[in-house]
Amino acid sequence: MLNKVRSDVLTAASTYSIPDAATSALEDAGLFALRAAFVHYPTDGVILSWVNPSTAKVPVDTYDICCTPVDVPPGEDPAGYRIWVRSFFAAKVAGMPGQPQQVGFLFTVRCDKLPTSGPPALSSQDPVLNKFDSVLSGQYAAHRKRLPAKKSSQRELKVGDTYQFQVFAYDRNKKLIRKSRPSMPQVIMPQQSFVEYPLLLWKTYLGVTPKSSLE
């Protein structure tokens, strides 16, 4: 049952289709749309998804992925607090399940204690979980080389803080092809505990959150 819940949550996070109208408008401005969704599986992090900006003449070779805290000390330049994944090969940014035109990257909350492959909890017969395992777990190595923020030396994301993400696409000559629009702000949630699973089941299958019986 728990694997079924995880499967449904991941599917909901990844199968959102970025509207063509929004994509076209951004292309005129030299940008592309970027969607962000916080997930607890396969590990705590933010799934970023976008339409591959490659063209027949200019394919994307690498991506730089930037994470910027929304709240920085007053008067400080946000650039000094950005955390980067640099020169991530486009070939490793696989298509997202349910949206073959979109690609995805899992920006993990933690970067030093990641598994070498998918977490053991993902070992199942569920094709969606196995698909996510193969798509996203291959990106863990990039996080071990994540560049810390210059001002704070921070490499991991802080629970309770809010971040925005941006993706930069380069050709094989390291020339910038296009960059994404900054994502919607994402709050980093704490790890789920066992007592939260009944609420997750309720929200996943009924689509509502029960009201307090004390109200």
Side-chain angles (χ1 to χ4, degrees), residues 83 111-112 143-148 153-157:
I83 302 170
C111 57
D112 292 329
H143 290 289
R144 297 189 185 94
K145 301 177 182 178
R146 207 150 80 186
L147 297 180
S153 298
Q154 180 184 343
R155 294 180 68 233
E156 301 196 341
L157 309 188

Side-chain angles (χ1 to χ4, degrees), residues 113-130:
K113 298 181 180 180
L114 292 170
T116 55
S117 60
L122 288 186
S123 298
S124 74
Q125 299 301 314
D126 188 297
V128 175
L129 290 180
N130 289 335

Side-chain angles (χ1 to χ4, degrees), residues 139-195:
Q139 302 173 358
Y140 292 156
H143 290 289
R144 297 189 185 94
K145 301 177 182 178
R146 207 150 80 186
L147 297 180
K150 294 179 180 179
K151 283 282 188 177
S152 64
S153 298
Q154 180 184 343
R155 294 180 68 233
E156 301 196 341
L157 309 188
K158 293 183 178 179
V159 171
D161 283 4
T162 304
Y163 297 87
Q164 283 185 291
F165 298 84
Q166 194 168 16
V167 175
F168 301 80
Y170 298 87
D171 64 16
R172 63 181 181 180
N173 296 316
K174 308 304 179 185
K175 180 180 179 181
L176 179 65
I177 299 173
R178 193 175 296 166
K179 62 183 179 181
S180 77
R181 177 183 58 185
S183 73
M184 294 292 291
Q186 297 291 310
V187 178
I188 303 305
M189 306 299 290
Q191 288 184 299
Q192 286 185 318
S193 63
F194 179 77
V195 296

Side-chain angles (χ1 to χ4, degrees), residues 17-199:
S17 179
I18 297 173
D20 290 338
T23 301
S24 298
L26 288 170
E27 285 179 352
D28 293 340
L31 303 172
F32 58 90
L34 176 66
R35 181 176 185 266
F38 184 85
V39 294
H40 287 290
Y41 310 104
T43 186
D44 292 339
V46 179
I47 288 183
L48 306 175
S49 56
W50 64 92
V51 176
N52 189 335
S54 292
T55 65
K57 294 183 177 180
V58 187
V60 174
D61 183 63
T62 58
Y63 290 104
D64 283 352
I65 302 167
C66 173
C67 174
T68 306
V70 171
D71 298 314
V72 300
E76 292 277 5
D77 184 354
Y81 293 86
R82 289 173 181 154
I83 302 170
W84 288 90
V85 171
R86 295 279 194 184
S87 300
F88 189 75
F89 286 107
K92 295 183 179 181
V93 185
M96 299 298 288
Q99 291 294 337
Q101 300 302 317
Q102 295 176 196
V103 295
F105 185 87
L106 175 61
F107 204 106
T108 64
V109 172
R110 287 163 291 281
C111 57
D112 292 329
K113 298 181 180 180
L114 292 170
T116 55
S117 60
L122 288 186
S123 298
S124 74
Q125 299 301 314
D126 188 297
V128 175
L129 290 180
N130 289 335
K131 178 68 173 177
F132 269 97
D133 192 14
S134 61
V135 168
L136 301 176
S137 66
Q139 302 173 358
Y140 292 156
H143 290 289
R144 297 189 185 94
K145 301 177 182 178
R146 207 150 80 186
L147 297 180
K150 294 179 180 179
K151 283 282 188 177
S152 64
S153 298
Q154 180 184 343
R155 294 180 68 233
E156 301 196 341
L157 309 188
K158 293 183 178 179
V159 171
D161 283 4
T162 304
Y163 297 87
Q164 283 185 291
F165 298 84
Q166 194 168 16
V167 175
F168 301 80
Y170 298 87
D171 64 16
R172 63 181 181 180
N173 296 316
K174 308 304 179 185
K175 180 180 179 181
L176 179 65
I177 299 173
R178 193 175 296 166
K179 62 183 179 181
S180 77
R181 177 183 58 185
S183 73
M184 294 292 291
Q186 297 291 310
V187 178
I188 303 305
M189 306 299 290
Q191 288 184 299
Q192 286 185 318
S193 63
F194 179 77
V195 296
E196 292 179 282
Y197 290 148
L199 180 59

